[in-house]
Amino acid sequence: MFNKRVKIKELLAKEEANYEATVMGWVRTFRNNQFIALNDGSTNNNLQVVVALGSFDDALLKRLTTGACIKATGEVIASLGKGQKVELKATALEILGDSDAEKFPLQPKKHSLEFLREIAHMRFRTNTFGSVFRVRHSLAYAVHKFFHDKGFIYLHTPIITASDAEGAGEMFRVTTLPVDGTAPKNEDGTTNFKEDFFGRSTNLTVSGQLEGELAAMAFSDIYTFGPTFRAENSNTTRHLAEFWMIEPEVAFNDLEDNMNLAEEFIKYVIRFAIENNKEDLDFLAQRLEEEDKQKPQAERSEMNLREKLDFVVNNDFERLTYTEAIEILKESNHNKKKKFQYLIEGWGTDLQSEHERYLVEKHFKKPVILTNYPKDIKSFYMRMNEDGKTVAAMDILAPGIGEIVGGSQREERLDKLTARMQEMNIPAEELNWYLDTRRFGACPHAGFGLGFERLVQFVTGMGNIRDVIPFPRYPKSAEF
Ligand code: ATP
Ligand code: MN
């Protein structure tokens, strides 16, 4: 057996000395021909491996370059140096993989996030991305734990779908037909998708919700957690073309139950990260503070990352209706002084991200749940309210991020649902399977979608969504 190593995180946490251990990892630095800072990705803290002078060949020492992968065996001893309790006094060193120091793209210095994005295949080996992706892992685990502990079923909804009725965004087409113009055509010149792989036009999914609803009408409580795709040409710090979404769907929940579930869920996963990723969050908080110092006073955050997260888990989210929000925005000095790019003039228009951020960051200074939006700016499946003008929708807005959750109570009344579909020109034949749930044992139900990367952004404080997913896909970029 080759792998009898101990992880550096464990070794450092144990703080015991005087035993033999083997570690493996990547050299971060090699100082004075004596001290290797070794990292294996289990923590940002490097293990100091001490190479006693004269005990190894010069030829071997020359290969201890930044980026090289090594195996080190030796005695764990109490450290004489500052910064660590124990270190490893090497008795055997083996180079597992050389790294040409001249060519290795990561030098032991600070690199910009933009540069690191260009070498995303290597950025895992930096402290920042080490922390980000360990936190991302924890959050993903916490998502499953939260729902599992509540008795939800994890449902795998299809990635390839034929329904384009949901209208959540532009879709990516899936086809095996040739794209050189020789694809079979209908009489009117359009592509004949009957000849395509699935015998119809298909796309990558934008949401698993409609399928989720079908399963909720049997298991009561389900959630999905999978990739979703949107071909929207949004070059923002909050949009990806491929992102992961979590979508619980719960039978017998109304809008208020839905809000309670979403708030409890968000607090739970953040608390999980606080409890399990202290070291990484401290590192990210410090990184953010340094970044903040570069900004003008007025743009600096009032709370550091740890304080912000503590604040969110310890305080109720602010709940108000769309109508109340419009009033606040309309009356705000910001609006009166025409500081919004899109001025708020009246009821009915969709909120832009500048409005959402004003509410969350300037007015309430905490996460906000907005409810009961005008029906015309929301999807067909949202439940019509008594007023006939608004639907039982809810969006959760988070400081620094904007919309993190979009959800609603669903329209379970067949007549109301089909009437709404007709108004919105959504062909009922294509969604017959969906309408069946309203024909056979319909019940009140509600659910929401939470963008996983936006959550990871919020918890890690990373400013750009492209830095919280290992290999981001966005317009003109699908490398690696
Ligand atoms: P936005 O207005 O920010 O584009 P949306 O209204 O299109 O969001 P929904 O269709 O409600 O979003 O999707 C549910 C959740 O998925 C959002 O609240 C958000 O957290 C996330 N989300 C939506 N689009 C993207 C995207 N392109 N990249 C990453 N996350 C996204
Ligand atoms: Mn969108």
Side-chain angles (χ1 to χ4, degrees):
M1 196 173 80
F2 176 68
N3 194 349
K4 281 203 290 187
R5 71 178 177 133
V6 40
K7 289 210 180 196
I8 289 174
K9 184 177 180 174
E10 279 170 46
L11 191 151
L12 292 176
K14 217 157 94 172
E15 295 187 351
E16 271 172 30
N18 308 319
Y19 64 100
E20 183 174 89
T22 294
V23 292
M24 299 186 211
W26 293 267
V27 175
R28 286 278 171 95
T29 55
F30 183 39
R31 283 190 300 122
N32 303 343
N33 245 1
Q34 251 191 97
F35 304 108
I36 305 169
L38 193 69
N39 190 280
D40 68 359
S42 57
T43 163
N44 273 348
N45 296 320
N46 301 321
L47 174 67
Q48 173 150 295
V49 179
V50 185
V51 182
L53 287 171
S55 46
F56 294 91
D57 276 357
D58 273 357
L60 181 87
L61 298 187
K62 280 212 176 65
R63 294 168 68 195
L64 293 171
T65 51
T66 297
C69 186
I70 66 164
K71 171 180 179 180
T73 301
E75 169 106 355
V76 179
I77 56 170
S79 178
L80 300 173
K82 288 196 299 258
Q84 68 268 327
K85 291 252 165 58
V86 291
E87 59 191 28
L88 188 85
K89 188 160 174 269
T91 51
L93 282 176
E94 190 184 327
I95 309 281
L96 301 177
D98 284 295
S99 169
D100 183 339
E102 300 276 290
K103 295 192 183 133
F104 186 59
L106 293 171
Q107 297 307 316
K109 63 159 196 170
K110 236 184 155 52
H111 293 292
S112 76
L113 295 175
E114 289 76 17
F115 169 74
L116 292 172
R117 213 173 289 145
E118 285 167 20
I119 51 160
H121 57 305
M122 285 284 149
R123 65 180 179 172
F124 296 121
R125 292 200 210 167
T126 63
N127 283 338
T128 297
F129 289 94
S131 288
V132 166
F133 292 119
R134 279 188 297 270
V135 172
R136 182 179 167 112
H137 161 79
S138 268
L139 288 169
Y141 178 76
V143 167
H144 288 298
K145 183 158 169 50
F146 175 82
F147 288 117
H148 174 81
D149 289 352
K150 281 188 173 294
F152 282 56
I153 293 289
Y154 176 29
L155 186 77
H156 293 109
T157 50
I159 308 260
I160 300 174
T161 61
S163 82
D164 55 3
E166 221 245 308
E170 296 292 312
M171 304 180 99
F172 288 100
R173 182 180 293 291
V174 175
T175 181
T176 55
L177 292 177
V179 291
D180 59 3
T182 61
K185 301 257 185 312
N186 296 311
E187 276 172 12
D188 62 0
T190 57
T191 305
N192 181 4
F193 287 105
K194 288 208 180 71
E195 301 284 319
D196 202 352
F197 188 92
F198 296 106
R200 58 194 300 173
S201 159
T202 50
N203 299 291
L204 293 178
T205 185
V206 293
S207 157
Q209 180 203 314
L210 299 189
E211 290 92 348
E213 283 185 55
L214 312 181
M217 299 297 97
F219 297 109
S220 323
D221 313 85
I222 66 95
Y223 71 105
T224 72
F225 185 1
T228 45
F229 307 85
R230 296 193 184 175
E232 48 195 2
N233 206 351
S234 312
N235 263 304
T236 76
T237 54
R238 308 174 302 117
H239 288 90
L240 290 165
E242 175 180 299
F243 64 99
W244 289 65
M245 188 144 65
I246 296 139
E247 296 181 279
E249 192 66 41
V250 183
F252 321 119
N253 266 11
D254 67 9
L255 187 67
E256 194 187 351
D257 300 318
N258 202 29
M259 288 191 272
N260 293 342
L261 178 70
E263 184 168 341
E264 185 190 346
F265 168 61
I266 291 171
K267 287 176 172 169
Y268 176 92
V269 295
I270 294 177
R271 196 173 285 123
F272 188 91
I274 291 174
E275 284 166 10
N276 292 277
N277 294 75
K278 190 177 171 321
E279 216 175 82
D280 287 319
L281 290 178
D282 282 343
F283 175 84
L284 291 165
Q286 202 192 336
R287 197 197 75 82
L288 212 58
E289 264 174 74
E290 277 161 29
E291 202 179 82
D292 235 28
K293 280 187 204 144
Q294 316 293 323
K295 295 183 188 162
Q297 191 78 38
E299 286 170 34
R300 294 188 198 161
S301 336
E302 287 167 29
M303 286 186 249
N304 74 23
L305 181 66
R306 293 299 310 272
E307 290 164 345
K308 185 182 84 172
L309 297 178
D310 286 338
F311 181 83
V312 167
V313 298
N314 292 324
N315 287 280
D316 289 342
F317 294 4
E318 191 71 35
R319 299 181 185 195
L320 70 159
T321 64
Y322 165 90
T323 306
E324 289 163 339
I326 286 288
E327 273 315 302
I328 292 172
L329 289 167
K330 205 162 72 181
E331 294 307 316
S332 70
N333 276 331
H334 225 71
N335 199 51
K336 288 179 178 159
K337 290 187 185 155
K338 304 200 183 337
K339 281 196 194 156
F340 287 129
Q341 199 188 337
Y342 298 90
L343 294 180
I344 298 282
E345 267 141 21
W347 193 90
T349 52
D350 206 355
L351 299 179
Q352 301 294 325
S353 109
E354 56 175 345
H355 307 131
E356 298 179 345
R357 296 187 72 150
Y358 178 85
L359 285 172
V360 175
E361 285 155 31
K362 296 253 160 33
H363 191 84
F364 291 110
K365 297 182 195 283
K366 52 156 64 170
V368 168
I369 313 186
L370 287 185
T371 56
N372 300 319
Y373 283 75
K375 64 175 184 188
D376 292 329
I377 58 170
K378 287 289 179 189
S379 307
F380 75 92
Y381 49 73
M382 298 189 178
R383 195 175 197 277
M384 189 67 68
N385 287 326
E386 296 287 300
D387 60 14
K389 287 183 356 193
T390 61
V391 287
M394 63 127 184
D395 278 6
I396 302 185
L397 316 175
I401 307 285
E403 181 184 329
I404 191 164
V405 163
S408 67
Q409 184 172 343
R410 319 304 189 189
E411 184 56 82
E412 82 283 12
R413 298 161 296 187
L414 183 64
D415 53 336
K416 292 221 160 44
L417 183 58
T418 49
R420 191 77 191 117
M421 287 169 71
Q422 215 156 28
E423 267 173 38
M424 295 174 76
N425 289 319
I426 294 165
E429 321 78 69
E430 274 182 33
L431 286 179
N432 238 324
W433 49 271
Y434 180 69
L435 294 175
D436 265 356
T437 50
R438 274 61 174 179
R439 297 188 180 110
F440 308 110
C443 69
H445 62 288
F448 61 85
L450 176 138
F452 185 56
E453 284 72 21
R454 292 202 186 161
L455 173 72
V456 180
Q457 255 191 299
F458 184 74
V459 176
T460 59
M462 297 298 281
N464 195 317
I465 198 164
R466 296 171 187 177
D467 295 331
V468 298
I469 188 165
F471 302 105
R473 268 84 181 94
Y474 50 92
K476 303 278 177 285
S477 177
E479 221 187 327
F480 313 109

